[in-house]
Coordinates of all heavy atoms in Angstrom, one line a residue:
M1 N 125.0 98.6 99.3 CA 123.7 98.6 99.7 C 123.4 99.7 100.7 O 124.1 99.8 101.7 CB 123.3 97.2 100.3 CG 121.9 97.1 100.9 SD 121.7 95.6 101.7 CE 120.0 95.3 101.3
T2 N 122.5 100.5 100.4 CA 122.2 101.7 101.3 C 121.1 101.3 102.3 O 120.2 100.5 102.0 CB 121.7 102.9 100.5 OG1 120.6 102.6 99.8 CG2 122.8 103.4 99.5
I3 N 121.2 101.8 103.4 CA 120.2 101.6 104.5 C 119.3 102.8 104.5 O 119.8 103.9 104.6 CB 120.9 101.3 105.8 CG1 121.8 100.1 105.8 CG2 119.8 101.2 106.9 CD1 122.6 99.8 107.0
H4 N 118.0 102.5 104.4 CA 117.0 103.6 104.5 C 116.8 104.0 105.9 O 116.4 103.2 106.7 CB 115.7 103.2 103.8 CG 114.6 104.2 103.9 ND1 114.7 105.4 103.2 CD2 113.5 104.3 104.7 CE1 113.6 106.1 103.5 NE2 112.9 105.4 104.4
K5 N 117.0 105.3 106.2 CA 116.7 105.8 107.6 C 115.5 106.7 107.4 O 115.5 107.6 106.6 CB 117.8 106.6 108.1 CG 119.0 105.7 108.4 CD 120.1 106.5 109.0 CE 121.4 105.7 109.3 NZ 122.5 106.5 109.8
P6 N 114.4 106.5 108.2 CA 113.3 107.4 108.1 C 113.7 108.8 108.6 O 114.5 108.9 109.5 CB 112.2 106.7 109.1 CG 113.0 105.9 110.0 CD 114.3 105.5 109.2
G7 N 113.1 109.8 107.9 CA 113.4 111.1 108.3 C 112.6 111.5 109.6 O 111.7 110.8 110.0
P8 N 112.9 112.7 110.1 CA 112.1 113.1 111.2 C 110.6 113.4 110.9 O 110.3 113.7 109.8 CB 112.8 114.4 111.6 CG 113.5 114.9 110.4 CD 113.8 113.7 109.6
N9 N 109.8 113.2 111.9 CA 108.4 113.4 111.7 C 108.1 114.9 111.7 O 108.1 115.5 112.8 CB 107.6 112.7 112.7 CG 106.1 112.7 112.5 OD1 105.6 113.2 111.5 ND2 105.3 112.2 113.4
D10 N 107.9 115.5 110.5 CA 107.6 116.9 110.5 C 106.1 117.1 110.5 O 105.3 116.7 109.6 CB 108.1 117.4 109.1 CG 107.9 118.9 109.0 OD1 107.4 119.6 110.0 OD2 108.3 119.5 108.0
S11 N 105.6 117.6 111.7 CA 104.2 117.7 111.9 C 103.5 118.7 110.9 O 102.3 118.6 110.7 CB 103.9 118.2 113.3 OG 104.5 119.4 113.6
A12 N 104.3 119.6 110.3 CA 103.7 120.5 109.3 C 103.2 119.7 108.1 O 102.4 120.2 107.3 CB 104.8 121.5 108.9
D13 N 103.8 118.5 107.8 CA 103.4 117.8 106.7 C 102.1 116.9 106.9 O 101.5 116.4 105.9 CB 104.5 116.8 106.3 CG 105.7 117.5 105.7 OD1 105.6 118.6 105.3 OD2 106.8 116.9 105.8
N14 N 101.7 116.8 108.1 CA 100.6 115.9 108.4 C 99.3 116.3 107.7 O 98.6 115.4 107.2 CB 100.3 115.9 109.9 CG 101.4 115.1 110.7 OD1 102.1 114.3 110.0 ND2 101.5 115.2 111.9
K15 N 99.0 117.5 107.6 CA 97.7 117.9 106.9 C 97.8 117.6 105.4 O 96.8 117.2 104.8 CB 97.4 119.4 107.2 CG 97.0 119.7 108.6 CD 96.6 121.1 108.9 CE 96.3 121.3 110.3 NZ 96.0 122.7 110.6
E16 N 99.0 117.8 104.9 CA 99.2 117.5 103.4 C 99.1 116.0 103.2 O 98.5 115.5 102.3 CB 100.5 118.1 102.9 CG 100.6 118.0 101.5 CD 99.6 118.7 100.7 OE1 99.1 119.8 101.1 OE2 99.2 118.2 99.6
R17 N 99.7 115.3 104.1 CA 99.7 113.8 104.0 C 98.3 113.3 104.2 O 97.9 112.3 103.5 CB 100.6 113.2 105.1 CG 102.1 113.3 104.8 CD 102.9 112.8 105.9 NE 102.6 111.5 106.3 CZ 102.7 111.0 107.6 NH1 103.2 111.7 108.5 NH2 102.4 109.7 107.8
L18 N 97.5 113.9 105.0 CA 96.1 113.5 105.2 C 95.3 113.7 103.9 O 94.6 112.8 103.5 CB 95.5 114.3 106.4 CG 94.0 114.0 106.7 CD1 93.8 112.5 107.0 CD2 93.5 114.9 107.8
K19 N 95.5 114.9 103.3 CA 94.8 115.2 102.1 C 95.2 114.2 101.0 O 94.3 113.7 100.2 CB 95.1 116.6 101.6 CG 94.5 117.7 102.4 CD 94.9 119.1 101.9 CE 94.4 120.2 102.8 NZ 94.9 121.5 102.4
K20 N 96.4 113.9 100.9 CA 96.9 113.0 99.9 C 96.4 111.6 100.1 O 96.0 110.9 99.1 CB 98.5 113.0 99.9 CG 99.0 112.1 98.8 CD 100.6 112.2 98.8 CE 101.1 111.4 97.7 NZ 102.6 111.4 97.6
T21 N 96.4 111.1 101.3 CA 95.9 109.8 101.7 C 94.4 109.7 101.3 O 93.9 108.7 100.8 CB 96.1 109.5 103.1 OG1 97.5 109.6 103.4 CG2 95.7 108.1 103.5
I22 N 93.6 110.7 101.7 CA 92.2 110.7 101.4 C 92.0 110.7 99.9 O 91.1 109.9 99.3 CB 91.5 111.9 102.0 CG1 91.5 111.7 103.5 CG2 90.1 112.1 101.5 CD1 91.0 112.9 104.3
S23 N 92.7 111.5 99.1 CA 92.6 111.5 97.7 C 93.0 110.1 97.1 O 92.2 109.7 96.2 CB 93.6 112.6 97.1 OG 93.6 112.6 95.7
N24 N 94.0 109.5 97.6 CA 94.4 108.2 97.1 C 93.3 107.2 97.4 O 93.0 106.3 96.5 CB 95.7 107.7 97.7 CG 96.9 108.5 97.1 OD1 96.8 109.1 96.1 ND2 98.0 108.4 97.9
M25 N 92.7 107.3 98.5 CA 91.6 106.3 98.9 C 90.4 106.5 98.0 O 89.8 105.5 97.5 CB 91.3 106.5 100.4 CG 90.3 105.5 100.9 SD 90.2 105.7 102.7 CE 89.0 104.4 103.0
E26 N 90.1 107.7 97.7 CA 88.9 108.0 96.8 C 89.2 107.5 95.4 O 88.3 106.9 94.8 CB 88.6 109.5 96.8 CG 88.1 110.0 98.1 CD 88.0 111.5 98.2 OE1 88.5 112.2 97.4 OE2 87.3 112.0 99.2
A27 N 90.4 107.7 94.9 CA 90.8 107.2 93.6 C 90.7 105.7 93.6 O 90.2 105.1 92.6 CB 92.2 107.7 93.2
A28 N 91.1 105.0 94.6 CA 91.1 103.6 94.7 C 89.7 103.1 94.7 O 89.4 102.0 94.1 CB 91.9 103.1 95.9
E29 N 88.8 103.8 95.4 CA 87.4 103.4 95.5 C 86.8 103.4 94.1 O 86.0 102.6 93.7 CB 86.6 104.3 96.4 CG 86.9 104.1 97.9 CD 86.4 102.8 98.4 OE1 85.3 102.3 97.9 OE2 87.0 102.3 99.3
E30 N 87.2 104.4 93.3 CA 86.7 104.5 91.9 C 87.2 103.4 91.1 O 86.5 102.8 90.2 CB 87.0 105.9 91.3 CG 86.3 107.0 91.9 CD 86.7 108.4 91.3 OE1 87.4 108.4 90.3 OE2 86.4 109.4 92.0
A31 N 88.5 103.0 91.3 CA 89.1 101.9 90.5 C 88.4 100.6 90.9 O 88.5 99.6 90.1 CB 90.6 101.9 90.8
L32 N 87.9 100.5 92.1 CA 87.2 99.2 92.5 C 86.1 98.8 91.5 O 85.9 97.6 91.3 CB 86.6 99.3 93.9 CG 87.5 98.9 95.0 CD1 86.8 99.2 96.3 CD2 87.9 97.5 95.0
E33 N 85.5 99.8 90.9 CA 84.4 99.5 89.9 C 84.9 98.6 88.8 O 84.1 97.8 88.2 CB 83.8 100.8 89.4 CG 83.1 101.6 90.4 CD 82.5 102.9 89.8 OE1 82.1 102.8 88.6 OE2 82.6 103.9 90.4
F34 N 86.2 98.7 88.4 CA 86.7 98.1 87.2 C 87.6 96.9 87.6 O 88.1 96.2 86.7 CB 87.4 99.1 86.3 CG 86.6 100.3 86.0 CD1 86.8 101.5 86.6 CD2 85.5 100.1 85.1 CE1 86.0 102.6 86.3 CE2 84.7 101.2 84.8 CZ 85.0 102.4 85.4
A35 N 87.9 96.8 88.9 CA 88.9 95.8 89.3 C 88.2 94.4 89.5 O 87.0 94.3 89.8 CB 89.6 96.2 90.6
E36 N 89.0 93.4 89.4 CA 88.5 92.0 89.6 C 89.6 91.2 90.4 O 90.8 91.5 90.3 CB 88.3 91.3 88.3 CG 87.2 92.0 87.5 CD 87.0 91.3 86.1 OE1 87.7 90.3 85.8 OE2 86.0 91.7 85.4
G37 N 89.1 90.2 91.1 CA 90.0 89.2 91.7 C 91.1 89.8 92.6 O 90.7 90.5 93.6
K38 N 92.3 89.4 92.4 CA 93.4 89.8 93.2 C 93.6 91.3 93.3 O 93.9 91.9 94.4 CB 94.7 89.2 92.8 CG 94.8 87.7 93.0 CD 96.2 87.2 92.6 CE 96.2 85.6 92.7 NZ 97.5 85.1 92.3
E39 N 93.4 92.0 92.2 CA 93.5 93.4 92.2 C 92.5 94.1 93.1 O 92.8 95.0 93.8 CB 93.4 94.0 90.7 CG 93.6 95.4 90.6 CD 93.4 96.0 89.2 OE1 92.9 95.2 88.3 OE2 93.7 97.1 89.0
R40 N 91.3 93.6 93.0 CA 90.2 94.1 93.9 C 90.5 93.9 95.4 O 90.3 94.8 96.2 CB 88.9 93.4 93.5 CG 87.7 93.9 94.2 CD 86.4 93.3 93.6 NE 85.2 93.9 94.2 CZ 84.7 95.0 93.8 NH1 85.2 95.7 92.8 NH2 83.6 95.5 94.3
A41 N 91.0 92.7 95.7 CA 91.4 92.4 97.1 C 92.5 93.3 97.5 O 92.5 93.8 98.7 CB 91.8 90.9 97.2
S42 N 93.5 93.5 96.6 CA 94.6 94.4 97.0 C 94.2 95.8 97.3 O 94.6 96.4 98.2 CB 95.6 94.4 95.8 OG 96.7 95.3 96.1
I43 N 93.3 96.3 96.4 CA 92.7 97.7 96.6 C 92.0 97.8 98.0 O 92.2 98.7 98.7 CB 91.8 98.1 95.5 CG1 92.6 98.3 94.2 CG2 91.0 99.4 95.8 CD1 91.8 98.4 93.0
K44 N 91.2 96.8 98.3 CA 90.5 96.8 99.6 C 91.5 96.8 100.8 O 91.2 97.4 101.8 CB 89.5 95.6 99.6 CG 88.3 95.8 98.8 CD 87.3 94.7 98.9 CE 86.1 95.0 98.1 NZ 85.0 94.0 98.4
E45 N 92.5 95.9 100.7 CA 93.5 95.9 101.7 C 94.2 97.2 101.9 O 94.4 97.7 103.0 CB 94.5 94.8 101.5 CG 94.0 93.4 101.6 CD 95.0 92.3 101.1 OE1 96.2 92.6 100.9 OE2 94.6 91.2 101.0
K46 N 94.6 97.8 100.8 CA 95.3 99.1 100.8 C 94.4 100.2 101.4 O 94.8 101.0 102.2 CB 95.8 99.5 99.5 CG 96.9 98.8 99.0 CD 97.3 99.2 97.6 CE 98.5 98.4 97.0 NZ 98.9 98.8 95.7
N47 N 93.1 100.2 101.1 CA 92.2 101.1 101.6 C 91.9 100.9 103.1 O 91.7 101.9 103.8 CB 90.9 101.2 100.8 CG 91.0 102.1 99.6 OD1 92.0 102.8 99.4 ND2 89.9 102.1 98.8
A48 N 92.0 99.7 103.5 CA 91.8 99.5 105.0 C 93.0 100.1 105.7 O 92.9 100.7 106.8 CB 91.8 98.0 105.3
R49 N 94.2 99.9 105.2 CA 95.4 100.5 105.8 C 95.3 102.1 105.7 O 95.7 102.8 106.6 CB 96.7 100.0 105.1 CG 97.0 98.6 105.4 CD 98.4 98.2 105.0 NE 98.6 98.3 103.6 CZ 98.4 97.4 102.6 NH1 97.9 96.2 103.0 NH2 98.7 97.7 101.4
R50 N 94.9 102.5 104.6 CA 94.7 104.0 104.4 C 93.7 104.6 105.5 O 94.0 105.6 106.0 CB 94.2 104.4 103.0 CG 95.3 104.2 101.9 CD 94.7 104.6 100.6 NE 95.7 104.5 99.6 CZ 95.6 103.7 98.5 NH1 94.5 103.0 98.2 NH2 96.6 103.7 97.6
Q51 N 92.6 103.8 105.7 CA 91.7 104.3 106.7 C 92.3 104.4 108.1 O 92.1 105.3 108.8 CB 90.4 103.3 106.7 CG 89.4 103.8 107.7 CD 88.8 105.2 107.3 OE1 88.6 105.5 106.1 NE2 88.6 106.0 108.3
E52 N 93.1 103.4 108.4 CA 93.8 103.4 109.7 C 94.8 104.6 109.8 O 94.8 105.3 110.8 CB 94.6 102.1 109.9 CG 93.7 100.9 110.2 CD 94.5 99.6 110.3 OE1 95.8 99.7 110.4 OE2 93.9 98.6 110.3
N53 N 95.5 104.8 108.7 CA 96.4 105.9 108.6 C 95.7 107.3 108.7 O 96.1 108.2 109.4 CB 97.2 105.9 107.2 CG 98.4 106.8 107.2 OD1 98.8 107.4 108.2 ND2 98.9 107.0 106.0
I54 N 94.5 107.4 108.1 CA 93.7 108.6 108.2 C 93.3 108.9 109.6 O 93.5 110.0 110.1 CB 92.5 108.5 107.2 CG1 92.9 108.6 105.8 CG2 91.4 109.6 107.6 CD1 91.8 108.3 104.8
E55 N 92.9 107.9 110.3 CA 92.5 108.0 111.7 C 93.6 108.4 112.5 O 93.5 109.3 113.4 CB 91.8 106.7 112.2 CG 90.5 106.4 111.5 CD 90.0 105.0 111.8 OE1 90.6 104.3 112.6 OE2 88.9 104.7 111.3
D56 N 94.8 107.8 112.3 CA 96.0 108.2 113.1 C 96.4 109.6 112.8 O 96.8 110.4 113.7 CB 97.2 107.2 112.7 CG 96.9 105.8 113.2 OD1 96.1 105.6 114.1 OD2 97.6 104.9 112.8
L57 N 96.4 110.0 111.5 CA 96.8 111.4 111.2 C 95.8 112.4 111.8 O 96.3 113.5 112.3 CB 96.9 111.6 109.7 CG 98.1 111.0 109.0 CD1 97.9 111.0 107.5 CD2 99.3 111.7 109.3
Q58 N 94.5 112.1 111.8 CA 93.6 113.0 112.3 C 93.8 113.2 113.8 O 93.7 114.3 114.4 CB 92.1 112.5 112.1 CG 91.7 112.7 110.6 CD 90.4 112.0 110.3 OE1 90.0 111.0 110.9 NE2 89.7 112.6 109.3
S59 N 94.1 112.1 114.5 CA 94.4 112.1 115.9 C 95.6 112.9 116.2 O 95.7 113.7 117.2 CB 94.6 110.7 116.5 OG 93.4 110.0 116.5
E60 N 96.7 112.7 115.4 CA 97.9 113.4 115.6 C 97.7 114.9 115.3 O 98.3 115.8 116.1 CB 99.0 112.9 114.6 CG 100.4 113.3 114.9 CD 101.4 112.6 114.1 OE1 101.2 111.4 113.8 OE2 102.4 113.2 113.8
I61 N 97.0 115.3 114.3 CA 96.7 116.7 114.0 C 96.0 117.3 115.1 O 96.3 118.5 115.6 CB 96.0 116.8 112.7 CG1 96.9 116.5 111.5 CG2 95.4 118.3 112.5 CD1 96.2 116.3 110.2
K62 N 95.0 116.6 115.7 CA 94.2 117.2 116.8 C 95.1 117.4 118.0 O 95.0 118.4 118.7 CB 93.0 116.2 117.1 CG 92.1 116.7 118.2 CD 91.0 115.7 118.5 CE 90.2 116.2 119.6 NZ 89.2 115.2 120.0
A63 N 95.9 116.4 118.3 CA 96.8 116.5 119.5 C 97.8 117.7 119.3 O 98.1 118.4 120.2 CB 97.6 115.2 119.7
E64 N 98.3 117.9 118.1 CA 99.2 119.0 117.8 C 98.5 120.3 118.0 O 99.0 121.3 118.5 CB 99.8 118.9 116.4 CG 100.8 117.7 116.2 CD 101.0 117.4 114.8 OE1 100.5 118.0 113.9 OE2 101.9 116.5 114.6
D65 N 97.3 120.4 117.5 CA 96.5 121.6 117.6 C 96.2 122.0 119.1 O 96.3 123.1 119.5 CB 95.2 121.6 116.8 CG 95.4 121.6 115.3 OD1 96.5 122.0 114.9 OD2 94.4 121.2 114.6
E66 N 95.9 120.9 119.8 CA 95.6 121.1 121.3 C 96.9 121.6 122.0 O 96.9 122.4 122.9 CB 95.1 119.9 121.9 CG 93.6 119.6 121.5 CD 93.1 118.2 121.9 OE1 93.9 117.5 122.6 OE2 91.9 117.9 121.7
S67 N 98.0 121.0 121.6 CA 99.3 121.4 122.2 C 99.6 122.8 121.9 O 100.1 123.5 122.8 CB 100.4 120.5 121.7 OG 100.3 119.2 122.1
R68 N 99.4 123.3 120.7 CA 99.6 124.7 120.3 C 98.8 125.6 121.2 O 99.2 126.6 121.6 CB 99.4 124.9 118.9 CG 100.6 124.5 118.0 CD 100.4 124.9 116.6 NE 101.1 124.0 115.7 CZ 100.5 123.0 115.0 NH1 99.2 122.9 115.0 NH2 101.2 122.2 114.3
I69 N 97.5 125.2 121.3 CA 96.6 126.0 122.1 C 97.0 126.2 123.5 O 97.0 127.2 124.1 CB 95.1 125.4 122.0 CG1 94.6 125.6 120.6 CG2 94.2 126.1 123.1 CD1 93.3 124.8 120.4
R70 N 97.5 125.1 124.1 CA 98.0 125.1 125.5 C 99.4 125.7 125.6 O 99.9 125.9 126.7 CB 98.0 123.7 126.0 CG 96.6 123.1 126.2 CD 96.6 121.8 126.9 NE 95.2 121.4 127.0 CZ 94.8 120.2 126.6 NH1 95.7 119.3 126.1 NH2 93.5 119.8 126.8
G71 N 100.1 125.9 124.5 CA 101.4 126.5 124.5 C 102.5 125.6 124.8 O 103.6 126.0 125.2
Y72 N 102.4 124.3 124.5 CA 103.5 123.3 124.7 C 104.4 123.4 123.5 O 104.2 123.3 122.4 CB 102.9 121.9 124.8 CG 102.2 121.7 126.1 CD1 100.8 121.3 126.1 CD2 102.8 121.9 127.3 CE1 100.1 121.1 127.3 CE2 102.1 121.8 128.5 CZ 100.8 121.4 128.5 OH 100.1 121.2 129.7

């Protein structure tokens, strides 16, 4: 059995992760039109988590940009 170790947080990937998360959220919103019952609830739950992730990534990107400006 292998143990999964998370990799280092590469801040260069944050903008790409943000774009991908937004794209996934938009695709899920379109799928909601055709979803029913448990599938619909699952999509809504995932999109709520995605929204939180988007906000976190935006804050992290902003903080990184401010750090670069200040020379940290």
Side-chain angles (χ1 to χ4, degrees):
M1 177 183 214
T2 59
I3 298 175
H4 175 72
K5 293 182 183 178
N9 185 6
D10 184 0
S11 61
D13 292 339
N14 286 342
K15 289 182 182 178
E16 189 60 37
R17 287 176 51 213
L18 177 61
K19 288 178 188 176
K20 184 176 179 180
T21 303
I22 290 171
S23 176
N24 288 342
M25 187 171 179
E26 290 171 349
E29 287 292 328
E30 291 177 15
L32 269 177
E33 293 180 39
F34 308 104
E36 296 178 356
K38 289 182 182 181
E39 183 180 10
R40 186 173 185 83
S42 175
I43 291 171
K44 286 184 177 189
E45 289 173 12
K46 286 180 184 179
N47 273 357
R49 289 192 301 270
R50 286 180 178 124
Q51 184 61 43
E52 290 175 13
N53 192 13
I54 288 169
E55 292 168 4
D56 291 343
L57 284 169
Q58 288 172 332
S59 294
E60 192 170 329
I61 290 168
K62 183 179 177 186
E64 290 165 358
D65 289 344
E66 289 173 356
S67 292
R68 279 190 211 102
I69 290 170
R70 293 189 180 126
Y72 291 121

